[in-house]
Amino acid sequence: MALKMADYRTPLFNDWCPGCGNFGILTAVQMVLVDMQLEPSKVAIFSGIGCHAKMPHWVKAYGIHTMHGRPLPFAIGAKLANPDIEVLAFGGDGDGLGIGAGHFVNTGRRNIDMTYLIHDNGVYGLTKGQASPTLKLGLQTKALPKPNINEGINPIALALASGYTFIARGYAFDVAHLKEMIKRAITHRGLALVVVQQPCPTYNNINTKDWYGGEDRIDPATGKPVPRVYKLEDTGYDGVVRKPEEAFPKTVAALTKAQEWGDRIPMGLFYQNELVSTYQERLSQRIADYLQNPPAKQVISDAQGRSLTSIDRMLDELKVT
Amino acid sequence: MQSMTRDDFIWMAGGPQGSGVDSSANIFARACCYGGLHVYGQREYHSNIKGLHSYFHIRVSPEEIGSIASRVDLLCTFDADSVVRHIWEVSQGGGIICDTEVLGKRIMEIPTLSASFREEFQKTLDEKGIKPETVGDLINEVKKNGIKIYPVPYLELLQGLGKEIGEEKLSKLTIMTNTMALGISFGLIKYDKKFVNKAIEKIFEKKAKLISTNIVAFSRAYDYAMKNFGDSGFSLNPVETDEKRIYLQGTQAVALGKIAGGCRFQSYYPITPAGDESEYLEENQVFELEKEGISQAGGSIIVIQTEDEIAAVNMASGAALTGARAATSTSGPGFSLMAEGLGWAGINEVPTVISYYQRGGPSTGLPTRHGQDDLRFALHASHGEFPRIILCSGDLDECFYDAASAFNYAERYQTPVIHLTDKALANSSRSCRIFDRSRVKIERGQLLKEDDVRKKEYKRFQITESGISPRLPLGTPGAIFWNTGDEHNELGHVTENPMMRTVMMEKRMKKLELADKEIPAQERVNFFGDNDAAVTIVSWGSPKGAILEAMDRLRQQGHKINFLQIRMMHPLPTDYVAEVLAKAKKKIAVEGNYSAQMAGIIRERTGMDMDYFVLKWNGRPMTSDEVYDALLLIMQDKAPKRQVLMYGT
Ligand SMILES: Cc1ncc(C[n+]2csc(CCOP(=O)(O)OP(=O)(O)O)c2C)c(N)n1
Ligand code: SF4
Ligand SMILES: [Mg+2]
């Protein structure tokens, strides 16, 4: 029997603020699971701490709500120990680019076959609206006593520099497009990042739904707003590396695109390179049967509880009498 | 100070870091082992890569030994620094091997001797009323006390060697100085060459070309010593033994225990002295499994170097969630970073194992030196209350078996286990009876399988009488669960409900009571010595070896004494400890820290105070001699309440 949206919902009350962009992300994720017909028990959702991090509780799948900034290490541990699990990690912008920035960068080096999604709302939602690492210099969102004194991080550029092999941006209120991005991220062979522009109506009164949608910019000709977000695909941009020699120019192109912000904000796939070896492949070079016999599947004892592991080779090496 | 009751011999190699002290010591130790002798070695080094002083203390005896002692019988030096630094440690009748070239060096101009060392050294000279200018002068002074000097013209010997093996470049020959020093050493103690040759073959087995030249170099130096130096007063004789022995260091014992115990995932961030363990694991990451009585391929462990210790502990927890046995390994600074993750594993009841090698703290402290000052931290790290189990190994044998059983406790009680060791264990290398894998039991606790949860609602944190909620590996088909670092309900969803909090907290904490009830005392303590003694030593961790030896000596002299070694500090086998202590008139705590942390824990649990404290925190392991001296004073009623041990260079 085909799995439906309802099969991925939990009966819990969702306590995000009305109008929160997180609802769009949640719906997109559940739609992807339906689209891909992924068994709930095949999927594990990891999150950090923050408003975003409540995500796993609303999804019917293995759900691991970890620590502030730490969804990636937990997700990596689980994925490496049992590579059959479809692993999705969710982080906040504070979570992934502030306290967890070290994991953000170093995860990029590993190219583990999993998906990481960052809820970029420009603020620390759950601690009541302080500036997040993506908030631009000089902006003063609602809860800030003074304008932001730091420049904002560019997550797309940082991901490029760190070695992510799939980098996309979505918008929380364009669920159909976001769903496509997440689906492509999951099917990507390697580590995929989706940065989601997520309006926080409660604390970010600058990068609002209206602002992204360009409600303040009415085209006099059509009388319609001119949205700030646009789709890279619509402009003929193609970030997919198909031959090794394309990797560098496409990185440069993606980096250039990543600079756009303000009047025009690109959505879609910035960069994808499936030619890079995955961590699983690298591990298989060292441990030939890694994929068939990963840590979680190894039998370590017999029925009597005796250890099955032979350490004779190592002991032989150390033997002196 | 020199209470030499055993038929033992101590050789020490000292030289600048990077000059091959370790490999010389390794050959020396193995050669002794091959002759059926027992060896206990301790490696000491600065937080430095090249140039600063390092040394290797190797104690050899026909009997098994578990500690270093407060003397050196034969000091084998590779530079002037090593002569000056260790000169007062050389025993009466002992000897010093040095390069003839160091004799003319002016002591106070040796650049690697720190200002504070020079000051102390000057004080010692003043006390002794001597005024040596050069290393040679200093040596002449100690000669007067019966210490023998063996100056070796290494340059000449190397040139001679060059001629024999057809190598003219001196730069290619100098690396052979170590081997020549071994030749001199073994020549002086008249040890059978064949054992040394065997050790050289082993050490250079991967660089076969070097074997023959090293054997020639060794042999020439050996013959030189026989010909040019008189009787050293020592001779080392091989003994027959049928016992199967291995020679290894503490980090290897832990690594082997992990592999045998079924650990299949290890994450780590490099830190001294823990790093060697993970490197050894990675080297040996593929191994055989026995299926239907036949060894076959199929065993492996993932070893991953993370970006920091926060990632390390949390990756291990992530892996442990899937049902794999998972661990991380670190030292004090790393464990500080792991504190929050430890709590997460606690509240989510994840069986994460942490191998914790203590070194002198706080902060960076003594990064390459010994300490036992993190017991309280291991016990209390992370906010909030949750059960944890703390194992403290006292020697390499225990390191192996405890590393394996740590996973059993972790899985049976679904809680993090901290396996506490220290730098003295990590960097001690010794001969010991070969580990017996058949003694390694695997107990996985209440671990569910797919069939157990089919078509049922699975509650990961089900409230149960015992506190144990059956555990399901993440990824098991047909079921799901949630985890959160927030307080949660039985399903694993966030709750702030006061009733649920009360019940869930109690469920978790009960597991500690259960562990306390179920785990027998003999797994948690060792008791040595006279049952009816009025004097009881209590200790934990690496001082074990020194205490056992000191106690043996005292008992041979007719003193009645016993020793309670705590192997599981938490939960402490309180009743057992109280019972032993109640019989003692003199209770002595021996530990490697300032504030007697174990004694404090025992006082907290039993209400009983120690009468005497023997403590040490100078960054060096305890020697059997200084422990003996301290205990003797206590036996003679001459000791202050608190004695601080200071031996070490
Ligand atoms: C180690 C630690 N420090 C601080 C906090 C407090 N804290 C909770 S959520 C949060 C910020 C969350 O911001 P972000 O990651 O952007 O997530 P959002 O709430 O915006 O989704 C902070 C600082 C914490 N939970 N843990
Ligand atoms: S504070 Fe912002 S991010 Fe958090 S739930 Fe409310 S709207 Fe969403
Ligand atoms: Mg945020």
Side-chain angles (χ1 to χ4, degrees):
Chain A
M1 214 173 58
L3 292 151
K4 309 172 300 296
M5 279 299 265
D7 295 316
Y8 297 103
R9 287 194 191 118
T10 58
L12 305 183
F13 172 70
N14 188 321
D15 66 354
W16 281 325
C17 308
C20 175
N22 283 331
F23 285 105
I25 303 176
L26 174 61
T27 307
V29 169
Q30 286 163 331
M31 285 165 70
V32 170
L33 297 178
V34 173
D35 258 26
M36 298 182 71
Q37 288 290 297
L38 285 168
E39 272 290 332
S41 59
K42 280 237 126 223
V43 180
I45 296 187
F46 293 79
S47 66
I49 291 287
C51 295
H52 70 278
K54 299 179 177 183
M55 191 84 166
H57 297 286
W58 322 138
V59 183
K60 214 168 180 184
Y62 282 106
I64 312 296
H65 182 184
T66 74
M67 291 151 46
H68 192 32
R70 317 298 170 202
L72 287 174
F74 281 95
I76 291 171
K79 180 72 187 178
L80 294 183
N82 185 351
D84 292 346
I85 305 172
E86 193 59 67
V87 169
L88 311 180
F90 293 80
D93 45 358
D95 188 86
L97 298 162
I99 192 166
H103 308 311
F104 181 99
V105 170
N106 284 279
T107 301
R109 300 163 55 206
R110 301 192 182 109
N111 203 29
I112 293 169
D113 194 5
M114 58 182 220
T115 302
Y116 181 34
L117 194 142
I118 284 194
H119 302 229
D120 182 359
N121 58 7
V123 291
Y124 281 19
L126 198 60
T127 44
K128 302 199 185 300
Q130 299 86 348
S132 91
T134 59
L135 190 68
K136 302 286 177 201
L137 176 67
L139 294 189
Q140 185 172 12
T141 47
K142 210 190 286 181
L144 297 191
K146 303 260 168 71
N148 186 13
I149 197 167
N150 299 304
E151 188 46 279
I153 287 173
N154 184 328
I156 306 285
L158 187 61
L160 277 165
S162 307
Y164 284 74
T165 53
F166 178 106
I167 303 166
R169 186 190 266 142
Y171 176 45
F173 288 123
D174 186 345
V175 176
H177 177 257
L178 177 60
K179 184 194 99 178
E180 275 320 301
M181 286 302 113
I182 298 174
K183 202 159 119 188
R184 287 183 71 175
I186 293 175
T187 42
H188 171 71
R189 217 183 110 270
L191 175 65
L193 173 72
V194 183
V195 177
V196 187
Q197 299 313 129
Q198 175 237 320
C200 163
T202 305
Y203 293 114
N204 191 332
N205 54 331
I206 296 173
N207 311 117
T208 59
K209 186 178 181 200
D210 283 358
W211 182 81
Y212 284 115
E215 298 291 339
D216 56 331
R217 324 192 288 186
I218 305 297
D219 182 341
T222 63
K224 286 192 175 155
V226 185
R228 286 183 167 80
V229 290
Y230 75 95
K231 298 194 180 91
L232 284 168
E233 297 85 284
D234 295 346
T235 65
Y237 177 91
D238 173 16
V240 180
V241 176
R242 292 181 187 84
K243 285 179 278 185
E245 59 272 26
E246 289 176 358
F248 180 69
K250 294 221 166 175
T251 303
V252 175
L255 197 56
T256 309
K257 273 289 162 207
Q259 307 309 310
E260 290 183 18
W261 184 258
D263 284 347
R264 277 174 68 73
I265 305 174
M267 298 292 140
L269 180 62
F270 283 75
Y271 182 81
Q272 182 177 18
N273 185 352
E274 289 188 313
L275 305 178
V276 179
S277 65
T278 64
Y279 199 85
Q280 284 87 339
E281 288 164 346
R282 297 173 205 169
L283 269 180
S284 300
Q285 304 249 310
R286 300 165 172 217
I287 304 170
D289 64 348
Y290 163 62
L291 286 173
Q292 304 80 49
N293 201 15
K297 304 217 166 126
Q298 285 181 40
V299 178
I300 57 172
S301 66
D302 64 12
Q304 286 76 45
R306 282 187 299 241
S307 165
L308 290 179
T309 313
S310 165
I311 51 170
D312 292 352
R313 187 175 46 76
M314 286 78 108
L315 292 177
D316 275 348
E317 223 4 70
L318 302 168
K319 240 182 225 161
V320 284
T321 58
Chain B
M1 283 290 277
Q2 280 173 31
S3 28
M4 214 179 95
T5 56
R6 293 184 178 219
D7 189 10
D8 64 344
F9 168 75
I10 297 172
W11 179 82
M12 182 188 280
Q17 224 131 271
S19 71
V21 170
D22 282 8
S23 63
S24 310
N26 213 341
I27 295 173
F28 189 95
R30 279 188 162 269
C32 295
C33 291
Y34 289 149
L37 294 160
H38 268 292
V39 164
Y40 182 93
Q42 185 72 45
R43 185 155 65 94
E44 285 291 347
Y45 47 98
H46 277 88
S47 179
N48 154 270
I49 303 304
K50 278 197 192 303
L52 288 189
H53 177 67
S54 69
Y55 67 91
F56 215 124
H57 177 120
I58 293 190
R59 199 164 167 219
V60 191
S61 163
E63 289 168 63
E64 188 160 14
I65 22 179
S67 76
I68 56 169
S70 304
R71 63 166 216 283
V72 179
D73 297 321
L74 190 56
L75 175 64
C76 178
T77 63
F78 297 132
D79 63 354
D81 178 318
S82 305
V83 178
V84 174
R85 221 181 270 263
H86 295 285
I87 194 131
W88 312 128
E89 290 174 71
V90 181
S91 58
Q92 255 185 12
I96 302 173
I97 302 168
C98 64
D99 193 332
T100 42
E101 288 194 357
V102 307
L103 298 175
K105 294 242 155 82
R106 302 182 70 80
I107 297 169
M108 293 303 173
E109 286 168 17
I110 298 170
T112 47
L113 296 177
S114 66
S116 60
F117 178 89
R118 285 177 208 194
E119 224 169 88
E120 282 165 27
F121 194 75
Q122 189 58 54
K123 239 200 265 156
T124 313
L125 295 179
D126 294 346
E127 278 164 20
K128 293 185 186 284
I130 52 175
K131 290 194 173 67
E133 293 279 325
T134 63
V135 175
D137 298 344
L138 180 66
I139 279 179
N140 285 329
E141 289 294 343
V142 296
K143 253 183 175 166
K144 292 178 199 159
N145 305 331
I147 288 171
K148 300 192 174 104
I149 307 303
Y150 309 107
V152 182
Y154 282 113
L155 188 62
E156 241 170 71
L157 289 182
L158 287 172
Q159 283 163 341
L161 171 70
K163 281 212 190 88
E164 180 170 343
I165 63 170
E167 175 61 69
E168 275 164 32
K169 280 208 200 96
L170 199 60
S171 62
K172 288 248 167 91
L173 291 166
T174 44
I175 52 161
M176 230 74 85
T177 312
N178 297 309
T179 309
M180 298 218 118
L182 283 170
I184 303 287
S185 302
F186 280 115
L188 285 170
I189 54 179
K190 304 174 277 287
Y191 190 61
D192 194 334
K193 275 184 186 176
K194 73 172 182 232
F195 298 119
V196 189
N197 290 344
K198 190 172 163 192
I200 290 173
E201 280 163 18
K202 175 72 191 166
I203 297 296
F204 294 107
E205 74 187 339
K206 291 195 182 103
K207 303 178 202 158
K209 271 198 296 200
L210 296 177
I211 294 177
S212 57
T213 47
N214 273 282
I215 287 182
V216 174
F218 161 72
S219 189
R220 286 181 68 96
Y222 189 103
D223 298 342
Y224 178 91
M226 294 292 260
K227 197 166 126 213
N228 294 283
F229 302 130
D231 185 12
S232 68
F234 296 102
S235 64
L236 198 62
N237 302 313
V239 292
E240 288 293 325
T241 174
D242 305 329
E243 200 176 59
K244 286 264 159 285
R245 289 182 200 151
I246 49 177
Y247 173 74
L248 80 174
Q249 74 165 20
T251 49
Q252 292 172 313
V254 173
L256 289 172
K258 282 184 172 171
I259 295 178
C263 180
R264 295 297 178 257
F265 186 95
Q266 164 119 334
S267 43
Y268 79 105
Y269 186 77
I271 191 165
T272 308
D276 290 351
E277 183 207 312
S278 298
E279 284 166 35
Y280 182 74
L281 279 175
E282 188 168 355
E283 257 172 60
N284 295 289
Q285 81 181 142
V286 177
F287 36 81
E288 297 193 320
L289 292 184
E290 239 148 70
K291 288 178 200 148
E292 284 113 38
I294 312 160
S295 278
Q296 43 191 284
S300 60
I301 177 170
I302 291 182
V303 181
I304 179 167
Q305 182 183 332
T306 59
E307 52 274 25
D308 55 34
E309 287 89 348
I310 299 174
V313 70
N314 296 330
M315 260 186 217
S317 292
L321 283 174
T322 69
R325 287 193 155 185
T328 182
S329 176
T330 192
S331 180
F335 190 68
S336 289
L337 290 188
M338 292 183 183
E340 192 190 3
L342 180 70
W344 194 93
I347 196 170
N348 284 292
E349 312 196 31
V350 184
T352 309
V353 169
I354 303 176
S355 308
Y356 186 166
Y357 297 86
Q358 299 163 93
R359 63 190 213 189
S363 190
T364 307
L366 296 169
T368 60
R369 308 291 182 178
H370 175 64
Q372 279 191 293
D373 30 355
D374 298 348
L375 179 57
R376 283 284 191 187
F377 184 46
L379 186 56
H380 298 294
S382 208
H383 53 287
E385 299 169 295
F386 58 92
R388 72 186 79 194
I389 290 172
I390 300 181
L391 300 179
C392 315
S393 296
D395 58 29
L396 267 52
D397 212 51
E398 290 175 7
C399 281
F400 173 79
Y401 294 104
D402 289 349
S405 57
F407 294 95
N408 293 342
Y409 297 134
E411 292 197 321
R412 278 168 59 187
Y413 304 104
Q414 300 186 20
T415 206
V417 171
I418 299 164
H419 180 202
L420 206 52
T421 57
D422 53 41
K423 136 86 199 194
L425 287 169
N427 290 153
S428 65
S429 29
R430 63 177 295 183
S431 50
C432 54
R433 216 172 316 117
I434 195 161
F435 300 143
D436 179 4
R437 177 173 52 105
S438 70
R439 275 180 55 200
V440 174
K441 285 219 189 58
I442 309 276
E443 300 164 336
R444 307 217 59 179
Q446 296 193 38
L447 186 63
L448 300 176
K449 296 207 178 63
E450 192 177 340
D451 290 349
D452 303 322
V453 288
R454 191 166 295 143
K455 301 218 157 76
K456 285 183 214 150
E457 188 186 37
Y458 171 63
K459 291 180 170 168
R460 170 66 191 95
F461 302 103
Q462 193 186 352
I463 305 294
T464 59
E465 195 53 45
S466 66
I468 309 269
S469 318
R471 193 165 73 97
L472 183 75
L474 183 148
T476 307
I480 54 167
F481 62 74
W482 289 271
N483 276 182
T484 168
D486 288 53
E487 188 55 277
H488 40 253
N489 60 20
E490 289 181 288
L491 286 171
H493 287 307
V494 176
T495 185
E496 296 179 19
N497 178 312
M499 190 60 196
M500 194 66 214
R501 162 71 172 179
T502 306
V503 173
M504 193 54 78
M505 187 73 166
E506 197 175 16
K507 177 196 104 70
R508 278 192 302 269
M509 295 308 284
K510 261 189 188 167
K511 297 187 296 178
L512 194 63
E513 291 161 34
L514 185 69
D516 191 28
K517 236 190 295 170
E518 287 184 349
I519 306 171
Q522 64 264 30
E523 285 180 37
R524 299 155 78 183
V525 293
N526 285 333
F527 183 85
F528 304 94
D530 308 302
N531 261 323
D532 53 346
V535 181
T536 295
I537 304 163
V538 194
S539 185
W540 60 286
S542 63
K544 175 185 180 185
I547 294 170
L548 283 178
E549 187 182 327
M551 191 170 83
D552 264 9
R553 269 190 235 170
L554 289 167
R555 290 176 69 205
Q556 273 165 30
Q557 292 157 15
H559 295 282
K560 285 210 158 184
I561 186 163
N562 57 41
F563 166 31
L564 177 64
Q565 180 205 350
I566 312 258
R567 292 183 57 189
M568 184 179 282
M569 199 61 78
H570 196 68
L572 187 78
T574 308
D575 293 343
Y576 183 95
V577 172
E579 203 182 303
V580 172
L581 293 184
K583 291 190 218 149
K585 292 213 169 57
K586 288 179 183 171
K587 301 180 284 297
I588 311 166
V590 180
E591 25 183 342
N593 58 56
Y594 182 92
S595 50
Q597 296 182 16
M598 172 207 68
I601 291 167
I602 291 177
R603 185 170 54 232
E604 179 188 316
R605 301 289 150 78
T606 64
M608 288 175 176
D609 220 341
M610 295 290 155
D611 305 298
Y612 293 96
F613 300 90
V614 177
L615 305 170
K616 184 168 184 176
W617 61 86
N618 71 350
R620 309 300 185 272
M622 291 182 191
T623 73
S624 50
D625 296 313
E626 58 182 349
V627 173
Y628 168 83
D629 292 339
L631 294 177
L632 185 64
L633 283 185
I634 296 172
M635 302 306 287
Q636 296 168 335
D637 285 320
K638 288 188 205 149
K641 196 171 169 74
R642 186 179 160 94
Q643 296 184 76
V644 179
L645 309 183
M646 311 267 241
Y647 189 83
T649 310

